[in-house]
Amino acid sequence: MANFFAAARQSKTFVSLRILTDSGWLSGMYLKLSSRQLADSLNQGGDTVVLTNAFVPSGENEIPFLSVRRDKMVLIMPDEIEAPNQESGIFVAATPRKVVMLAGLASIAGTISVPSNLRVTDYFSRNHGFIVVTKLRLTVRNPEGGDQWTRDLEQILVRGDSMVAVSEVEASSTKTSQSFE
């Protein structure tokens, strides 16, 4: 029996995450199968995500075990960037698409992989799980003070049903908007 648990522990890895919720930023460690992409692990779970060694807004002490409602998570910033895995995620031909999104207090401009036969808006209307966004600019607003911060990031995960608005950015409109800056 001990061999079974030892083998199970070796097939899993902890991932350090920062999670934006309506209540603010949470952070902690998430345990996932080593062979599975983070988005796939999160999408195939239940109603909650379990974090260990967690911190909550204004919390001074580490919380050993925190259960977070999946439907309250807006976006996730993993501390380590995951390389795409051919065996994981979308199993159809996909096309990288530049998008702009609003989710809660966050504005995101980046790239997502969308099945070639779908429009971006259709993809988001059908996808209620976490979607990987790469090469992005993230702006998060403070609802109380009006302050905001912006960061250029390599990767985040956004929950599809947390989107307030989404649109594909066409190459021609990107050039036009850049010429006005």
Side-chain angles (χ1 to χ4, degrees):
M1 185 63 94
N3 290 340
F4 172 78
F5 289 115
R9 277 191 296 275
Q10 289 177 351
S11 67
K12 295 180 181 181
T13 185
F14 279 101
V15 180
S16 180
L17 304 176
R18 285 177 262 168
I19 303 168
L20 180 61
T21 69
D22 292 339
S23 298
W25 287 96
L26 311 174
S27 64
M29 303 299 289
Y30 173 71
L31 185 63
K32 71 171 195 75
L33 288 173
S34 300
S35 61
R36 187 175 284 173
Q37 295 288 105
L38 178 60
D40 294 335
S41 292
L42 291 165
N43 290 337
Q44 294 177 359
D47 293 337
T48 61
V49 171
V50 175
L51 299 177
T52 59
N53 307 92
F55 287 91
V56 297
S58 300
E60 296 178 14
N61 298 324
E62 184 175 275
I63 300 169
F65 181 87
L66 182 67
S67 179
V68 183
R69 289 182 50 99
R70 182 181 318 280
D71 63 347
K72 301 302 179 190
M73 301 165 87
V74 177
L75 63 86
I76 297 175
M77 289 187 345
D79 283 350
E80 292 184 26
I81 306 307
E82 270 187 323
N85 183 347
Q86 294 284 9
E87 300 172 9
S88 185
I90 300 174
F91 295 104
V92 298
T95 305
R97 308 272 180 85
K98 293 192 180 296
V99 296
V100 293
M101 302 177 250
L102 296 175
L105 297 172
S107 301
I108 304 152
T111 303
I112 61 171
S113 289
V114 177
S116 299
N117 62 336
L118 287 178
R119 293 181 300 213
V120 167
T121 53
D122 293 337
Y123 178 64
F124 273 95
S125 70
R126 295 177 184 181
N127 193 330
H128 301 289
F130 288 97
I131 299 165
V132 177
V133 184
T134 59
K135 296 180 180 40
L136 64 124
R137 174 163 282 186
L138 171 66
T139 300
V140 178
R141 292 170 301 288
N142 178 347
E144 315 224 344
D147 299 338
Q148 67 182 28
W149 58 263
T150 300
R151 291 197 179 129
D152 292 325
L153 302 168
E154 285 298 313
Q155 182 180 72
I156 63 169
L157 286 78
V158 178
R159 207 181 79 248
D161 59 359
S162 73
M163 289 293 104
V164 174
V166 63
S167 180
E168 183 169 4
V169 177
E170 309 240 349
S172 61
S173 65
T174 302
K175 291 177 185 172
T176 304
S177 67
Q178 289 177 350
S179 65
F180 291 108
E181 293 179 6

